[in-house]
Amino acid sequence: MFKSKLIITALILAFFTIASITSTVQSQVEPRPVTVAGGFDFNIFADTTNVPEFALDLGTGPVTMAFDARGRLFVSTLSGKILLLLDTDDNGKVDQVKTFATGISSPLGLLFGPDGELYVTSNILGGDGRILRLRDTNGDDVADEQTIILSGLPSNGDHQTNRMRFGADGLLYFGQGSATDAGTPKPGFPEEAPLNGTILRFDIKAANPTPEVFATGHRNPFGMAFHPVNGELFTTDAGSGELCQSNCTGEDTSPPEEINWVVQGGNYGFPLCEGVPDARAGCAGVRAPIQLFNRHSTPTALAFYTGQQAGDYANQLLVTLYKRLGPGQGGDLRRLKLEGDKTTGFRVIENEMVAEFGIIDPGDGPLDTVIDPISGDIYVARFDFVPHRNRNEHHHIIYRIHKLGSDELPFIGAPKGLTAKIPAQGAASVPINLVGRHLKLGAVILVDGAAVATEQNGLFDLSATVNIPASATSGTPINLQVRNPDGSLSNVLVLKVARDGVIEPPPPASPHIESFFAYFKKPANVQNPVLVGTKAKKLWMVVRGTNFATGAKLLVNNIELELGSASATELVGKFAKPLVAAPGQLSIQVRNPDGRTSNIVTMNVVAP
C-alpha cells in the first residue's frame, strides 16, 4: 500500500507539476464558500459524504468526467476506478454509486464516443500509454469487455497520455505530454521522443491504428475541446518551470500558461519558445496563444458552454485553473468569449469568472469541467492531492453549477436521436423516447403544442407515439416539448421526418464575408481605419461575400446598419453615430433571416 501511495504521489506531481508538498496534513484551512457569478447558483453534487471512494486514500478523487447520452455522470479516479454517480431522486446530489470499471492505470481521459462506447486513457507506470474501449454488453452498469485500441504511447516521462475528443472527421484526438519539464531530461528519465508534446489523432475503426501527429510544440496539453459550430480545436498548455514555484531564489522566468487554437501542422513552441513568440531562437513559425494565464496557474480543462442554460454565453469557452496563486489568481472556472474564424484567427474578447473555489488545502483545485447534455448544468471536479491522516479530510468534490431558477424547469433530451423514418407516402405513427430532468409525475409530451398520451417511467423517462400526417414531407420539423403539471415547459426538441427514398435537401449555407471596407461620401474615399468623429450619415460600410440571403442584416458591434443596397454578394450599410464616437474596434458580421451568421471581421476606429 505504501508503495502504491508513492506511485500515485509521483504521478500527481508529474501531471500538475506541484513542487512544494509537505508531509501529511492533519488540520486544514477552513473552507471558504464557493463564489459564483451573478445569475448562477451551485451545490455540492458529490464529496466524501456520498461517494465513499473519494475518502479511501490518496488519488481516489475525481480526475476526469464524462456524461453518457442519457445524462449519467461517469467519473475516473487516479487510483484506477471508473464510477457511475447517480442522482436517482433528481435533487442535484449523488445518492447511488456504482463501480463501472477497476484496475485502469492512471485514467486521465474519459469520453463517450459517437458510437456510445466509453473510451479511457491509461498510463502504465514505466511508459506504456494506452487508449482503451470499455463496453457494458449486458446492461448491468459494469464494464465486462475491455479492449486496448491503441498502445505504446510514450508515457514514461514527466507527462502522460491526456484527455481525448472526437473531431467532426470522426477521428479521435488526444494530447500527449512532453517527456521533460523544459526540454532537458532529469537523470534516469527519457528524452523527448517524436510523439511527446503533441496532439495526436487516429481512426478507432482501423484494424491496426497508427497515431498521426496533428500538431507539435506542446508541453502538457491537458484540456481539449472542439468548437461546437466551426469545429476548430482548442487546448490548454501548462508552461515549464516546475522547480521554481515557491521558496525560489532569483527571478522566476517560467513562461505563462496558455490556451491555443490548434491547427494541423502547427508548432506551439515547446521547449524553445513558450508563451508569445518573439525574437528568441526557436520562435520562427511558432503560433501564438490566444490566451495567457499567470505562470503555474495550470489550466486543466476546456469545455464549450452548450445546452439549454447557456443563453447569452452559448458556445463560450469554459476553462478551469487548477492552482490558486492569490486573490483572483486561479482556482476558478472562467468563461472566455471568442471572436474570429479560421481565416482571420481567433481572439478572446471577454474573460470572466463563473465560479471561484475558496482555499481548502494549499494546492487542491478544479481539475475537470463537463456539461450535462440534458439540463445544461455545469459540473466541476475538485481534486485534493494532499495526503491526510484522517481520510474524511480529503477534499474531493464535484460541484453542480447552474443558472438561477433552472431547477424549477423541466429539460429533455433524446439519447437515440429524433428522426422519424417513415414510408415514402401516407401517414405514419412513430414511437419516441425522451429523457429529462425535473420532470414531475403527470408530465406530458406536447407535439406541435398539443398534448399526446404519455407513458412515464420514473422521474427521467417519457415515451409517446407521434402521429405523422400524410402531408408531412421529408424534412418536415415536428416540435416536441414537455409540460409539467404546474404548467412549466421544457426546451423544444425537433423531430425530423425522413421519408423512404426521399433525399432531404441540405440546409442553407451560412453567409461568409470575403472582403469589406468603409468609405466617406463616395466609394473612392476609402477609410480604413475609420476616423473618430466622422459624420456617420455620410459614412458607409461595404461588405462583400457569399450566401447573403434576401433580408440579411449587416451588423457592426451588434448594431444593425440601415442598408443602402443589398444583393447575394454585397451589402452596403450606413454607419450609426455611436460606432464612430470613440476609438475602438468594430466587429462586422452578416446575419441571414434564418439566424445563420457569417464569420466576424474587424475594423479599427482611431483618433484623427
Side-chain angles (χ1 to χ4, degrees):
M1 177 64 74
F2 180 69
K3 182 178 179 181
S4 66
K5 287 184 181 180
L6 291 179
I7 290 173
I8 292 172
T9 302
L11 288 171
I12 295 171
L13 290 174
F15 301 150
F16 313 124
T17 59
I18 298 166
S20 56
I21 296 184
T22 59
S23 59
T24 54
V25 178
Q26 187 167 14
S27 61
Q28 303 301 316
V29 178
E30 277 297 311
R32 285 173 41 186
V34 175
T35 302
V36 293
F40 288 92
D41 199 358
F42 83 98
N43 67 271
I44 292 177
F45 177 74
D47 60 11
T48 57
T49 65
N50 55 8
V51 183
E53 176 71 21
F54 287 0
L56 288 181
D57 220 323
L58 180 64
T60 60
V63 174
T64 187
M65 305 178 289
F67 278 100
D68 68 4
R70 291 183 54 80
R72 304 186 307 166
L73 184 63
F74 290 71
V75 177
S76 75
T77 69
L78 200 59
S79 57
K81 288 187 178 181
I82 296 178
L83 307 175
L84 171 55
L85 306 185
L86 299 173
D87 171 17
T88 63
D89 58 5
D90 199 23
N91 71 346
K93 298 179 182 180
V94 172
D95 52 35
Q96 185 177 356
V97 180
K98 296 183 177 182
T99 300
F100 183 75
T102 61
I104 299 172
S105 181
S106 182
L108 298 182
L110 198 64
L111 175 69
F112 279 93
D115 55 3
E117 307 290 0
L118 183 60
Y119 294 84
V120 58
T121 59
S122 172
N123 295 277
I124 306 296
L125 193 68
D128 186 9
R130 299 175 175 180
I131 295 179
L132 314 176
R133 181 180 60 224
L134 307 182
R135 284 178 172 164
D136 170 17
T137 60
N138 59 6
D140 64 352
D141 293 331
V142 176
D144 42 41
E145 184 180 299
Q146 185 179 123
T147 305
I148 300 172
I149 60 173
L150 189 66
S151 63
L153 298 168
S155 296
N156 56 339
D158 277 13
H159 307 107
Q160 287 70 42
T161 304
N162 296 325
R163 298 208 173 108
M164 311 166 286
R165 292 290 184 267
F166 279 94
D169 54 11
L171 301 180
L172 183 58
Y173 291 69
F174 63 96
Q176 181 67 47
S178 63
T180 68
D181 169 43
T184 303
K186 294 177 287 190
F189 281 75
E191 297 182 350
E192 300 291 350
L195 297 186
N196 281 118
T198 62
I199 303 297
L200 301 170
R201 65 179 181 179
F202 72 102
D203 185 355
I204 62 170
K205 298 178 182 177
N208 297 294
T210 300
E212 172 194 0
V213 175
F214 184 75
T216 60
H218 305 268
R219 179 176 175 272
N220 195 23
F222 208 68
M224 173 182 291
F226 282 96
H227 194 287
V229 176
N230 58 45
E232 295 300 303
L233 177 62
F234 298 83
T235 68
T236 66
D237 204 2
S240 60
E242 64 181 24
L243 300 181
C244 185
Q245 296 183 38
S246 64
N247 302 319
C248 300
T249 57
E251 181 184 2
D252 185 356
T253 59
S254 301
E257 316 287 54
E258 303 176 0
I259 293 180
N260 290 301
W261 165 41
V262 181
V263 300
Q264 186 171 7
N267 174 12
Y268 294 85
F270 178 83
L272 299 177
C273 186
E274 296 180 84
V276 178
D278 51 25
R280 286 171 288 168
C283 283
V286 170
R287 298 182 66 88
I290 65 166
Q291 179 66 41
L292 297 176
F293 295 105
N294 291 330
R295 58 172 65 99
H296 311 307
S297 55
T298 315
T300 52
L302 289 181
F304 280 96
Y305 196 6
T306 56
Q308 305 308 318
Q309 297 181 41
D312 292 341
Y313 301 152
N315 301 327
Q316 294 189 15
L317 192 57
L318 302 177
V319 55
T320 53
L321 297 175
Y322 182 75
K323 296 180 190 172
R324 185 179 178 88
L325 305 177
Q329 299 183 55
D332 60 356
L333 171 70
R334 308 193 69 79
R335 64 170 181 86
L336 276 58
K337 183 177 181 180
L338 306 181
E339 71 170 10
D341 58 35
K342 62 183 180 181
T343 301
T344 63
F346 292 92
R347 297 160 296 281
V348 175
I349 57 175
E350 287 184 20
N351 179 352
E352 302 290 342
M353 182 269 289
V354 175
E356 187 175 33
F357 306 104
I359 295 173
I360 300 179
D361 276 325
D364 69 346
L367 194 55
D368 197 13
T369 296
V370 290
I371 310 296
D372 183 333
I374 307 301
S375 69
D377 292 347
I378 304 169
Y379 286 73
V380 179
R382 181 175 192 149
F383 186 84
D384 181 2
F385 75 91
V386 177
H388 299 275
R389 293 190 180 97
N390 179 355
R391 291 176 176 177
N392 291 325
E393 289 281 332
H394 288 309
H395 299 117
H396 299 311
I397 301 170
I398 298 176
Y399 301 97
R400 183 180 73 103
I401 301 170
H402 55 98
K403 290 291 185 68
L404 281 170
S406 64
D407 280 355
E408 307 305 316
L409 300 174
F411 296 99
I412 55 173
K416 297 183 179 180
L418 283 174
T419 299
K421 296 181 180 180
I422 61 176
Q425 296 179 345
S429 296
V430 176
I432 59 167
N433 296 283
L434 304 178
V435 296
R437 295 278 191 270
H438 316 318
L439 304 179
K440 308 299 183 184
L441 293 177
V444 295
I445 295 175
L446 308 180
V447 179
D448 285 335
V452 298
T454 302
E455 182 177 343
Q456 188 168 10
N457 182 16
L459 295 177
F460 304 100
D461 296 271
L462 299 174
S463 59
T465 297
V466 176
N467 295 317
I468 299 176
S471 59
T473 60
S474 190
T476 296
I478 296 175
N479 292 324
L480 305 178
Q481 200 171 19
V482 167
R483 183 178 64 209
N484 271 338
D486 61 6
S488 58
L489 295 172
S490 75
N491 53 300
V492 175
L493 297 180
V494 177
L495 174 69
K496 291 186 178 179
V497 173
R499 290 196 177 273
D500 290 342
V502 179
I503 300 176
E504 184 179 343
S510 296
H512 183 77
I513 298 175
E514 295 179 348
S515 63
F516 62 98
F517 65 93
Y519 70 85
F520 184 65
K521 294 184 179 180
K522 299 179 180 180
N525 298 330
V526 173
Q527 282 200 14
N528 192 3
V530 174
L531 300 179
V532 170
T534 303
K535 292 184 178 180
K537 64 181 181 180
K538 296 184 179 181
L539 187 63
W540 296 84
M541 171 66 70
V542 179
V543 171
R544 292 170 179 163
T546 56
N547 303 319
F548 299 164
T550 301
K553 297 178 180 179
L554 177 55
L555 307 175
V556 178
N557 287 3
N558 286 322
I559 296 176
E560 182 182 347
L561 302 193
E562 177 187 345
L563 295 182
S565 64
S567 72
T569 58
E570 182 183 88
L571 299 177
V572 180
K574 185 183 297 184
F575 267 71
K577 189 174 181 180
L579 299 175
V580 292
Q585 188 177 70
L586 304 178
S587 296
I588 305 159
Q589 191 174 38
V590 174
R591 179 183 296 155
N592 280 344
D594 63 3
R596 296 176 185 271
T597 56
S598 74
N599 54 310
I600 297 174
V601 295
T602 60
M603 176 180 286
N604 291 326
V605 178
V606 300

